[in-house]
Amino acid sequence: MSGNSQSTPRVAAIVGPYLSGKTSLMESLLFAAGALPRKGSVKEGNTVGDASMEAKARQMSVEASLASCEFQGEAWTLIDCPGSVEFRQETVHALMAADIAVVVCDPDPARALMAAPALKFLDDHQIPHVVFINKMEAPGSASKLKDALNALQIISERPLVLVEVPIREGDQVTGYVDLISEHAYRYEADKDADLLQMPESVLPEEREARQQMLEKLADFDDHLMEELLSDMVPTLEEVAEDMAKDVRDDLLVPVFFGSADKDTGVRRLFQALCEEAPRVDATARRLGLPEGKDALVQVFKTVHAQHVGKLSISRVWRGEVVDGTSLAGNRVSGINRLFGAQQIKQQKASAGEVVALGRMDEVKTSEALTPSAKVELAWPEPLQPMLALSLHTTKSGDDVKLSLALQKLCEEDASLQVEQNAETQERILWGQGEVHLKCALDRLKSRFGLDVQQHPPLVPYRETFTKAAKVHGRHKHQTGGHGQFGDVWLEIKPLPRGTGFQFEERIVGGVVPKNFFGAVEHGVVEWMKRGPLGFPVVDIHVALVDGSYHTVDSSDMAFKTAARIGMTEAAPVCHPVLLEPISEVHISVPSEFTPKAQRLVTGRRGGQVLGFDAKPGWNGWDVVSAYIPQAEMSDVIVELRSLTMGVGSFTWAFHHLQELVGRDADKVVEARKQAKATA
Ligand SMILES: Nc1nc2c(ncn2[C@@H]2O[C@H](COP(=O)(O)OP(=O)(O)OP(=O)(O)O)[C@@H](O)[C@H]2O)c(=O)[nH]1
């Protein structure tokens, strides 16, 4: 990779559970770096991270938010990622562009589990990371630290290593001992912590924690191991270098603590990032980017900003991009550094930087570009949608506008999907949960001026016959001139589920000429689009067994009509029955929530647990497999998240059709009749 790799800007993504304090930590880091004259707060809605209307309205992050700054002469882009699992796609993409991640956690061990999705992604993608235990100014937090660390260790594949111990006065944390330098510091408001004499009271805890830290470092360094075995004291430089190397190689995870609200422990954290985070060239190697001399830029987020147009937020992996030049045939029209909602224009961007490139209309998130070509790079699959809404506009003429707006929202967010359902004529927006979809609707209103109504999508029911019959269909219209004549006998019988439709002719002696067989089949198929209960008919066998024709008046049209008449005759005799779609669902939960997930399934009409198994690659997690009627699926994700501290998720796919009878079926048929009548 080109460029002076010793001074290239780096990227830290701030991730972790919902409401753990990521936006507050970014604010505090920016303040520590001198990039903010005054700190904002989430409650007042004036932070750099939550600058969007949607974030302010909810006091939560709904997208990745970026800010560049400099700390101790090192250039950084910080990315405040949303904690809510509904906006996880943003976090996943931000992590693909980061050199290091800061996982912000709560000191409450009961909430440690909520960090599992973030830690798992980091472990799987070998992204170097550190943990920051936040909210430590709250009384009693120091006593929870060990338990929090143990609870986090259960879900982390990498060893977690405490690199500080708290100095306490009563139940307050007033400072810390740095286990690398063995210096003690007292927290000072809004500035670097003051060095102080190591308090006697902290010594035993300090010794024990330092020994544990050294032993974990020695697992990856034979020289250090030998020193420890022969009771030699390693030098500060050796310990610091080991720590930096092990973090860069994603072998272990140092754990810091402090308070984003009170700006404590934040400077120490930033300093560690400067010392331990890999540079852009190392990250490019980790990601397997191809070697070369040309500039290489990758888009990891796309925004259609009001008044500005499309912005492709990109990491420069190598070389330099200059405004007005081309990348893979796309002219760069504007290069901007980002600081929350602000954009700071610059002429060029070099290796390591994160910038918004203007008007790259043909370029999508994930794409990597050199001046001459697009480069294929590994990129995570979009998250599978979990919840759907059927949308329609309230003003006539807004339909095309809605299509274009949804296209833009889906380009920004790969975890949103639009489906145009040909059968139910619905435009369906799929997303990750209630808040995610609501946020998309808010954006349709605020950015595109669209008032959209929504309701749960219609369930694609089917119907079939349960009895066989032989019916006659005759169409005769012969009053003067060229008439119409078609006459068929049809034998109809039910087929096993999933067989579909079969047609056969068993005409003997040419009583119906061959050239009309196709028209008869066509007539049957058309009739099946809407059966007697109001839904498409499936899984039946129809045989044309007899009939007659007229040499002049018979036509395709006449035989089609005769077939339709025959099918209408058959409907009451063949006992139609409603079929409902059943989804096969795989619910992932930490094992302690497995019984709850099973109850969620059995608590739904028709829900059937098929079994459960350990989730491959996820220590302490299970996958519960189940069948759930699609009509019962709409709020599964909402209930699952509320039962599992937000970490449960599921995948699903249509599995089979199943008979629905009795009052439940009557309700469906009646509702569909009413919907048709009011349409
Ligand atoms: N006591 C205490 N509260 C904090 C601290 N940091 C953040 N908070 C509070 O925690 C709440 C959530 O803070 P945010 O910074 O928005 O948390 P977040 O992790 O960015 O939230 P999401 O991105 O929506 O997941 C707010 O009410 C903050 O004031 C802290 O150090 N101490």
Side-chain angles (χ1 to χ4, degrees):
M1 297 286 155
S2 65
N4 174 4
S5 74
Q6 285 316 299
S7 58
T8 47
R10 284 176 286 182
V11 176
I14 307 174
V15 300
Y18 179 48
L19 300 183
S20 57
K22 298 172 292 298
T23 303
S24 307
L25 180 64
M26 177 157 103
E27 196 76 5
S28 187
L29 288 165
L30 291 172
F31 185 62
L36 286 176
R38 190 175 95 72
K39 255 182 77 182
S41 85
V42 174
K43 286 184 192 99
E44 286 170 40
N46 56 356
T47 56
V48 176
D50 286 350
S52 75
M53 250 161 54
E54 293 79 20
K56 279 182 195 167
R58 295 175 174 82
Q59 292 202 0
M60 67 183 273
S61 301
V62 297
E63 63 186 308
S65 181
L66 296 87
S68 297
C69 66
E70 226 175 74
F71 183 77
Q72 296 181 347
E74 291 280 348
W76 282 93
T77 297
L78 305 178
I79 310 181
D80 170 24
C81 297
S84 160
V85 281
E86 299 195 22
F87 299 94
R88 209 171 122 62
Q89 190 74 67
E90 284 281 300
T91 303
V92 163
H93 288 179
L95 285 170
M96 295 305 290
D99 298 306
I100 196 161
V102 180
V103 186
V104 183
C105 297
D106 212 272
D108 182 356
R111 290 167 62 88
L113 193 59
M114 293 167 72
L119 285 170
K120 179 72 180 146
F121 187 88
L122 294 166
D123 283 338
D124 285 353
H125 290 79
Q126 297 171 355
I127 300 171
H129 51 288
V130 306
V131 166
F132 183 77
I133 306 218
N134 189 32
K135 307 188 182 179
M136 284 290 286
E137 88 292 352
S141 312
S143 55
K144 296 185 191 159
L145 195 57
K146 269 208 180 110
D147 289 342
L149 197 68
N150 290 339
L152 286 168
Q153 186 60 80
I154 293 171
I155 53 175
S156 166
E157 281 173 24
R158 308 284 184 271
L160 303 181
V161 185
L162 199 59
V163 292
E164 310 170 303
V165 289
I167 295 174
R168 318 161 201 221
E169 277 172 31
D171 59 2
Q172 293 285 340
V173 180
T174 55
Y176 67 97
V177 181
D178 182 335
L179 294 177
I180 295 179
S181 67
E182 295 202 275
H183 287 151
Y185 297 89
R186 182 197 307 281
Y187 291 141
E188 289 292 319
D190 300 350
K191 59 176 185 170
D192 284 343
D194 264 355
L195 199 59
L196 53 89
Q197 183 79 29
M198 175 102 64
E200 285 288 322
S201 56
V202 82
L203 262 178
E205 191 180 348
E206 192 272 338
R207 292 220 173 105
E208 188 192 336
R210 188 160 205 266
Q211 187 61 24
Q212 282 174 1
M213 179 189 80
L214 292 177
E215 282 169 11
K216 287 195 175 151
L217 289 173
D219 284 341
F220 307 105
D221 179 356
D222 292 345
H223 181 254
L224 182 61
M225 181 65 88
E226 276 168 30
E227 284 179 323
L228 295 188
L229 290 174
S230 46
D231 282 337
M232 283 169 64
V233 181
T235 63
L236 189 156
E237 287 72 26
E238 184 180 5
V239 176
E241 266 170 34
D242 264 9
M243 180 61 77
K245 183 180 171 305
D246 292 351
V247 173
R248 275 202 283 274
D249 293 346
D250 190 33
L251 297 172
L252 54 73
V253 181
V255 178
F256 300 84
F257 57 79
S259 162
D261 248 13
K262 304 283 176 216
D263 297 326
T264 55
V266 172
R267 285 175 174 77
R268 173 69 188 98
L269 171 71
F270 218 157
Q271 192 189 336
L273 294 179
C274 290
E275 283 160 8
E276 290 156 14
R279 302 271 172 188
V280 64
D281 45 1
T283 304
R285 274 196 301 280
R286 167 172 62 78
L287 292 170
L289 303 191
E291 289 286 331
K293 289 205 161 44
D294 287 350
L296 181 62
V297 169
Q298 187 174 27
V299 182
F300 65 92
K301 178 173 162 77
T302 300
V303 182
H304 288 276
Q306 255 179 329
H307 316 302
V308 181
K310 181 171 168 177
L311 295 176
S312 303
I313 301 174
S314 312
R315 182 100 200 259
V316 185
W317 289 119
R318 171 174 86 206
E320 194 173 76
V321 187
V322 180
D323 195 9
T325 57
S326 273
L327 287 170
N330 299 272
R331 191 169 181 278
V332 178
S333 302
I335 298 182
N336 286 285
R337 197 154 34 92
L338 297 170
F339 194 82
Q342 286 176 50
Q343 294 180 34
I344 303 126
K345 204 166 166 44
Q346 55 190 52
Q347 269 312 301
K348 58 182 186 180
S350 21
E353 279 187 81
V354 170
V355 282
L357 304 176
R359 301 264 152 78
M360 309 267 287
D361 291 335
E362 302 303 315
V363 178
K364 300 194 205 73
T365 297
S366 83
E367 286 182 338
L369 317 165
T370 69
S372 56
K374 284 187 182 171
V375 181
E376 277 293 320
L377 295 178
W379 192 254
E381 286 295 312
L383 303 178
Q384 192 189 12
M386 307 256 168
L387 191 65
L389 283 178
S390 172
L391 305 184
H392 56 97
T393 49
T394 48
K395 274 192 234 151
S396 63
D398 266 358
D399 235 37
V400 176
K401 215 171 142 188
L402 177 61
S403 285
L404 291 173
L406 286 173
Q407 202 181 327
K408 287 186 173 166
L409 291 187
C410 291
E411 202 186 338
E412 290 183 356
D413 180 350
S415 65
L416 275 179
Q417 280 176 26
V418 177
E419 173 198 340
Q420 192 66 48
N421 190 308
E423 180 188 327
T424 60
Q425 298 289 305
E426 290 175 294
R427 193 194 317 260
I428 297 171
L429 182 64
W430 284 94
Q432 301 299 314
E434 277 179 316
V435 185
H436 187 223
L437 287 172
K438 180 72 179 50
C439 208
L441 297 183
D442 286 357
R443 286 177 175 146
L444 287 176
K445 172 93 184 130
S446 64
R447 279 210 237 152
F448 303 97
L450 281 162
D451 271 314
V452 176
Q453 289 197 337
Q454 20 77 23
H455 58 77
L458 296 172
V459 174
Y461 291 99
R462 297 282 181 269
E463 55 185 278
T464 192
F465 293 157
T466 52
K467 286 212 159 65
K470 182 171 177 180
V471 290
H472 187 201
R474 187 176 167 87
H475 178 55
K476 185 174 167 190
H477 193 73
Q478 289 174 309
T479 47
H482 199 295
Q484 292 175 40
F485 184 84
D487 178 36
V488 294
W489 278 91
L490 304 173
E491 268 182 19
I492 300 158
K493 62 177 184 191
L495 287 175
R497 274 309 67 72
T499 318
F501 168 60
Q502 291 174 355
F503 182 78
E504 157 187 45
E505 58 75 23
R506 294 203 301 269
I507 294 297
V508 181
V511 289
V512 175
K514 250 191 196 140
N515 54 315
F516 294 128
F517 294 167
V520 174
E521 182 175 358
H522 205 164
V524 173
V525 169
E526 268 190 5
W527 181 89
M528 286 169 62
K529 284 184 184 157
R530 185 151 189 254
L533 304 178
F535 301 95
V537 179
V538 295
D539 299 342
I540 58 166
H541 181 281
V542 177
L544 169 62
V545 292
D546 202 355
S548 62
Y549 75 103
H550 186 279
T551 42
V552 177
D553 291 345
S554 282
S555 63
D556 277 355
M557 186 56 85
F559 269 98
K560 235 166 94 171
T561 310
R564 291 176 61 87
I565 292 169
M567 292 305 292
T568 307
E569 289 292 310
V573 196
C574 290
H575 283 231
V577 65
L578 199 63
L579 295 176
E580 68 168 339
I582 307 292
S583 303
E584 183 176 33
V585 186
H586 298 286
I587 304 174
S588 298
V589 284
S591 310
E592 63 204 84
F593 296 123
T594 301
K596 284 188 178 174
Q598 289 170 323
R599 279 199 293 278
L600 179 154
V601 173
T602 50
R604 274 154 207 267
R605 177 187 62 77
Q608 186 189 347
V609 174
L610 302 172
F612 74 95
D613 235 321
K615 183 171 179 172
W618 286 66
N619 194 13
W621 284 58
D622 285 335
V623 178
V624 177
S625 301
Y627 290 146
I628 302 180
Q630 196 174 316
E632 297 288 310
M633 286 288 297
S634 65
D635 61 343
V636 166
I637 191 60
V638 180
E639 189 180 343
L640 180 63
R641 287 191 181 132
S642 87
L643 291 176
T644 61
M645 299 172 75
V647 295
S649 66
F650 67 86
T651 57
W652 64 275
F654 165 77
H655 191 264
H656 64 275
L657 289 168
Q658 184 171 292
E659 279 186 23
L660 182 65
V661 291
R663 283 193 49 203
D664 290 327
D666 296 345
K667 270 197 253 165
V668 171
V669 173
E670 192 48 41
R672 192 57 62 99
K673 260 191 210 150
Q674 277 182 10
K676 277 265 179 259
T678 52

